[in-house]
PDB file of all heavy atoms in Angstrom:
ATOM      1  N   ASP N 145      11.177  10.847 -16.891  1.00  0.00           N
ATOM      2  CA  ASP N 145      12.489  11.491 -16.839  1.00  0.00           C
ATOM      3  C   ASP N 145      12.268  12.997 -16.774  1.00  0.00           C
ATOM      4  O   ASP N 145      11.206  13.511 -17.108  1.00  0.00           O
ATOM      5  CB  ASP N 145      13.388  11.070 -18.004  1.00  0.00           C
ATOM      6  CG  ASP N 145      12.872  11.495 -19.356  1.00  0.00           C
ATOM      7  OD1 ASP N 145      12.626  12.701 -19.564  1.00  0.00           O
ATOM      8  OD2 ASP N 145      12.719  10.619 -20.226  1.00  0.00           O
ATOM      9  N   ARG N 146      13.282  13.687 -16.329  1.00  0.00           N
ATOM     10  CA  ARG N 146      13.153  15.122 -16.077  1.00  0.00           C
ATOM     11  C   ARG N 146      12.752  15.899 -17.329  1.00  0.00           C
ATOM     12  O   ARG N 146      11.934  16.819 -17.269  1.00  0.00           O
ATOM     13  CB  ARG N 146      14.456  15.663 -15.491  1.00  0.00           C
ATOM     14  CG  ARG N 146      14.328  17.076 -15.038  1.00  0.00           C
ATOM     15  CD  ARG N 146      15.616  17.568 -14.413  1.00  0.00           C
ATOM     16  NE  ARG N 146      15.423  18.958 -14.035  1.00  0.00           N
ATOM     17  CZ  ARG N 146      15.842  19.466 -12.917  1.00  0.00           C
ATOM     18  NH1 ARG N 146      16.472  18.726 -12.045  1.00  0.00           N
ATOM     19  NH2 ARG N 146      15.649  20.733 -12.655  1.00  0.00           N
ATOM     20  N   ALA N 147      13.300  15.539 -18.492  1.00  0.00           N
ATOM     21  CA  ALA N 147      12.956  16.247 -19.729  1.00  0.00           C
ATOM     22  C   ALA N 147      11.464  16.103 -20.041  1.00  0.00           C
ATOM     23  O   ALA N 147      10.803  17.084 -20.405  1.00  0.00           O
ATOM     24  CB  ALA N 147      13.799  15.723 -20.891  1.00  0.00           C
ATOM     25  N   ALA N 148      10.926  14.901 -19.869  1.00  0.00           N
ATOM     26  CA  ALA N 148       9.486  14.698 -20.095  1.00  0.00           C
ATOM     27  C   ALA N 148       8.673  15.485 -19.072  1.00  0.00           C
ATOM     28  O   ALA N 148       7.631  16.056 -19.398  1.00  0.00           O
ATOM     29  CB  ALA N 148       9.144  13.210 -20.038  1.00  0.00           C
ATOM     30  N   GLY N 149       9.161  15.531 -17.832  1.00  0.00           N
ATOM     31  CA  GLY N 149       8.479  16.312 -16.803  1.00  0.00           C
ATOM     32  C   GLY N 149       8.464  17.790 -17.130  1.00  0.00           C
ATOM     33  O   GLY N 149       7.458  18.477 -16.918  1.00  0.00           O
ATOM     34  N   GLU N 150       9.575  18.297 -17.658  1.00  0.00           N
ATOM     35  CA  GLU N 150       9.624  19.713 -18.036  1.00  0.00           C
ATOM     36  C   GLU N 150       8.662  20.005 -19.184  1.00  0.00           C
ATOM     37  O   GLU N 150       8.032  21.060 -19.213  1.00  0.00           O
ATOM     38  CB  GLU N 150      11.056  20.112 -18.379  1.00  0.00           C
ATOM     39  CG  GLU N 150      11.926  20.206 -17.142  1.00  0.00           C
ATOM     40  CD  GLU N 150      13.389  20.482 -17.426  1.00  0.00           C
ATOM     41  OE1 GLU N 150      13.807  20.500 -18.600  1.00  0.00           O
ATOM     42  OE2 GLU N 150      14.129  20.685 -16.440  1.00  0.00           O
ATOM     43  N   GLU N 151       8.530  19.077 -20.133  1.00  0.00           N
ATOM     44  CA  GLU N 151       7.547  19.252 -21.210  1.00  0.00           C
ATOM     45  C   GLU N 151       6.137  19.315 -20.644  1.00  0.00           C
ATOM     46  O   GLU N 151       5.328  20.146 -21.055  1.00  0.00           O
ATOM     47  CB  GLU N 151       7.655  18.122 -22.229  1.00  0.00           C
ATOM     48  CG  GLU N 151       8.844  18.253 -23.147  1.00  0.00           C
ATOM     49  CD  GLU N 151       8.896  17.131 -24.177  1.00  0.00           C
ATOM     50  OE1 GLU N 151       7.828  16.637 -24.600  1.00  0.00           O
ATOM     51  OE2 GLU N 151      10.028  16.753 -24.546  1.00  0.00           O
ATOM     52  N   LEU N 152       5.829  18.429 -19.695  1.00  0.00           N
ATOM     53  CA  LEU N 152       4.511  18.456 -19.054  1.00  0.00           C
ATOM     54  C   LEU N 152       4.297  19.767 -18.307  1.00  0.00           C
ATOM     55  O   LEU N 152       3.223  20.355 -18.365  1.00  0.00           O
ATOM     56  CB  LEU N 152       4.363  17.289 -18.081  1.00  0.00           C
ATOM     57  CG  LEU N 152       4.215  15.908 -18.681  1.00  0.00           C
ATOM     58  CD1 LEU N 152       4.311  14.845 -17.602  1.00  0.00           C
ATOM     59  CD2 LEU N 152       2.891  15.795 -19.429  1.00  0.00           C
ATOM     60  N   LEU N 153       5.324  20.215 -17.616  1.00  0.00           N
ATOM     61  CA  LEU N 153       5.243  21.466 -16.874  1.00  0.00           C
ATOM     62  C   LEU N 153       4.979  22.640 -17.817  1.00  0.00           C
ATOM     63  O   LEU N 153       4.146  23.501 -17.536  1.00  0.00           O
ATOM     64  CB  LEU N 153       6.542  21.683 -16.095  1.00  0.00           C
ATOM     65  CG  LEU N 153       6.599  22.817 -15.104  1.00  0.00           C
ATOM     66  CD1 LEU N 153       5.546  22.656 -14.031  1.00  0.00           C
ATOM     67  CD2 LEU N 153       7.984  22.891 -14.481  1.00  0.00           C
ATOM     68  N   ASN N 154       5.643  22.647 -18.972  1.00  0.00           N
ATOM     69  CA  ASN N 154       5.459  23.721 -19.945  1.00  0.00           C
ATOM     70  C   ASN N 154       4.112  23.651 -20.649  1.00  0.00           C
ATOM     71  O   ASN N 154       3.652  24.644 -21.194  1.00  0.00           O
ATOM     72  CB  ASN N 154       6.589  23.703 -20.972  1.00  0.00           C
ATOM     73  CG  ASN N 154       7.906  24.102 -20.351  1.00  0.00           C
ATOM     74  OD1 ASN N 154       7.939  24.859 -19.388  1.00  0.00           O
ATOM     75  ND2 ASN N 154       9.002  23.578 -20.880  1.00  0.00           N
ATOM     76  N   SER N 155       3.464  22.470 -20.624  1.00  0.00           N
ATOM     77  CA  SER N 155       2.158  22.336 -21.275  1.00  0.00           C
ATOM     78  C   SER N 155       1.046  22.998 -20.474  1.00  0.00           C
ATOM     79  O   SER N 155      -0.055  23.175 -20.955  1.00  0.00           O
ATOM     80  CB  SER N 155       1.822  20.858 -21.495  1.00  0.00           C
ATOM     81  OG  SER N 155       1.539  20.232 -20.250  1.00  0.00           O
ATOM     82  N   LYS N 156       1.366  23.361 -19.232  1.00  0.00           N
ATOM     83  CA  LYS N 156       0.429  24.081 -18.358  1.00  0.00           C
ATOM     84  C   LYS N 156      -0.859  23.302 -18.094  1.00  0.00           C
ATOM     85  O   LYS N 156      -1.920  23.892 -17.919  1.00  0.00           O
ATOM     86  CB  LYS N 156       0.099  25.463 -18.922  1.00  0.00           C
ATOM     87  CG  LYS N 156       1.305  26.312 -19.249  1.00  0.00           C
ATOM     88  CD  LYS N 156       1.469  27.409 -18.262  1.00  0.00           C
ATOM     89  CE  LYS N 156       2.523  28.389 -18.672  1.00  0.00           C
ATOM     90  NZ  LYS N 156       3.836  28.120 -18.282  1.00  0.00           N
ATOM     91  N   LEU N 157      -0.792  21.979 -18.069  1.00  0.00           N
ATOM     92  CA  LEU N 157      -1.965  21.186 -17.716  1.00  0.00           C
ATOM     93  C   LEU N 157      -2.287  21.418 -16.249  1.00  0.00           C
ATOM     94  O   LEU N 157      -1.422  21.274 -15.386  1.00  0.00           O
ATOM     95  CB  LEU N 157      -1.698  19.701 -17.980  1.00  0.00           C
ATOM     96  CG  LEU N 157      -1.462  19.329 -19.430  1.00  0.00           C
ATOM     97  CD1 LEU N 157      -0.964  17.901 -19.541  1.00  0.00           C
ATOM     98  CD2 LEU N 157      -2.752  19.494 -20.217  1.00  0.00           C
ATOM     99  N   ASP N 158      -3.516  21.791 -15.959  1.00  0.00           N
ATOM    100  CA  ASP N 158      -3.852  22.177 -14.584  1.00  0.00           C
ATOM    101  C   ASP N 158      -4.236  21.013 -13.680  1.00  0.00           C
ATOM    102  O   ASP N 158      -4.353  21.181 -12.484  1.00  0.00           O
ATOM    103  CB  ASP N 158      -4.958  23.224 -14.585  1.00  0.00           C
ATOM    104  CG  ASP N 158      -6.259  22.716 -15.177  1.00  0.00           C
ATOM    105  OD1 ASP N 158      -6.268  21.638 -15.782  1.00  0.00           O
ATOM    106  OD2 ASP N 158      -7.277  23.408 -15.020  1.00  0.00           O
ATOM    107  N   LYS N 159      -4.403  19.835 -14.214  1.00  0.00           N
ATOM    108  CA  LYS N 159      -4.832  18.703 -13.384  1.00  0.00           C
ATOM    109  C   LYS N 159      -3.672  17.885 -12.827  1.00  0.00           C
ATOM    110  O   LYS N 159      -3.852  17.119 -11.893  1.00  0.00           O
ATOM    111  CB  LYS N 159      -5.737  17.778 -14.202  1.00  0.00           C
ATOM    112  CG  LYS N 159      -6.947  18.468 -14.777  1.00  0.00           C
ATOM    113  CD  LYS N 159      -8.150  18.093 -14.038  1.00  0.00           C
ATOM    114  CE  LYS N 159      -9.347  18.777 -14.684  1.00  0.00           C
ATOM    115  NZ  LYS N 159     -10.518  18.604 -13.929  1.00  0.00           N
ATOM    116  N   ILE N 160      -2.496  18.008 -13.404  1.00  0.00           N
ATOM    117  CA  ILE N 160      -1.365  17.215 -12.942  1.00  0.00           C
ATOM    118  C   ILE N 160      -0.533  17.986 -11.926  1.00  0.00           C
ATOM    119  O   ILE N 160      -0.547  19.215 -11.904  1.00  0.00           O
ATOM    120  CB  ILE N 160      -0.463  16.744 -14.109  1.00  0.00           C
ATOM    121  CG1 ILE N 160       0.118  17.940 -14.860  1.00  0.00           C
ATOM    122  CG2 ILE N 160      -1.199  15.798 -15.022  1.00  0.00           C
ATOM    123  CD1 ILE N 160       1.151  17.553 -15.906  1.00  0.00           C
ATOM    124  N   ARG N 161       0.149  17.222 -11.074  1.00  0.00           N
ATOM    125  CA  ARG N 161       1.111  17.800 -10.131  1.00  0.00           C
ATOM    126  C   ARG N 161       2.434  17.100 -10.393  1.00  0.00           C
ATOM    127  O   ARG N 161       2.484  15.880 -10.525  1.00  0.00           O
ATOM    128  CB  ARG N 161       0.641  17.596  -8.695  1.00  0.00           C
ATOM    129  CG  ARG N 161      -0.628  18.390  -8.414  1.00  0.00           C
ATOM    130  CD  ARG N 161      -1.046  18.383  -6.966  1.00  0.00           C
ATOM    131  NE  ARG N 161      -0.964  17.134  -6.249  1.00  0.00           N
ATOM    132  CZ  ARG N 161      -1.871  16.159  -6.297  1.00  0.00           C
ATOM    133  NH1 ARG N 161      -2.922  16.263  -7.075  1.00  0.00           N
ATOM    134  NH2 ARG N 161      -1.728  15.068  -5.554  1.00  0.00           N
ATOM    135  N   ILE N 162       3.496  17.877 -10.445  1.00  0.00           N
ATOM    136  CA  ILE N 162       4.817  17.341 -10.774  1.00  0.00           C
ATOM    137  C   ILE N 162       5.771  17.662  -9.629  1.00  0.00           C
ATOM    138  O   ILE N 162       5.827  18.794  -9.153  1.00  0.00           O
ATOM    139  CB  ILE N 162       5.340  17.944 -12.100  1.00  0.00           C
ATOM    140  CG1 ILE N 162       4.325  17.707 -13.221  1.00  0.00           C
ATOM    141  CG2 ILE N 162       6.695  17.335 -12.454  1.00  0.00           C
ATOM    142  CD1 ILE N 162       4.630  18.451 -14.507  1.00  0.00           C
ATOM    143  N   TYR N 163       6.517  16.627  -9.217  1.00  0.00           N
ATOM    144  CA  TYR N 163       7.407  16.742  -8.063  1.00  0.00           C
ATOM    145  C   TYR N 163       8.815  16.275  -8.412  1.00  0.00           C
ATOM    146  O   TYR N 163       8.989  15.277  -9.111  1.00  0.00           O
ATOM    147  CB  TYR N 163       6.915  15.852  -6.918  1.00  0.00           C
ATOM    148  CG  TYR N 163       5.550  16.193  -6.403  1.00  0.00           C
ATOM    149  CD1 TYR N 163       4.410  15.679  -7.008  1.00  0.00           C
ATOM    150  CD2 TYR N 163       5.386  17.028  -5.306  1.00  0.00           C
ATOM    151  CE1 TYR N 163       3.141  15.968  -6.533  1.00  0.00           C
ATOM    152  CE2 TYR N 163       4.129  17.326  -4.816  1.00  0.00           C
ATOM    153  CZ  TYR N 163       3.004  16.793  -5.447  1.00  0.00           C
ATOM    154  OH  TYR N 163       1.755  17.094  -4.966  1.00  0.00           O
TER     155      TYR N 163
END
Side-chain angles (χ1 to χ4, degrees):
D145 64 55
R146 188 178 178 138
E150 287 175 354
E151 284 182 32
L152 288 171
L153 189 60
N154 291 331
S155 71
K156 307 253 189 272
L157 296 170
D158 63 349
K159 303 254 182 188
I160 61 173
R161 294 188 317 279
I162 305 170
Y163 299 86

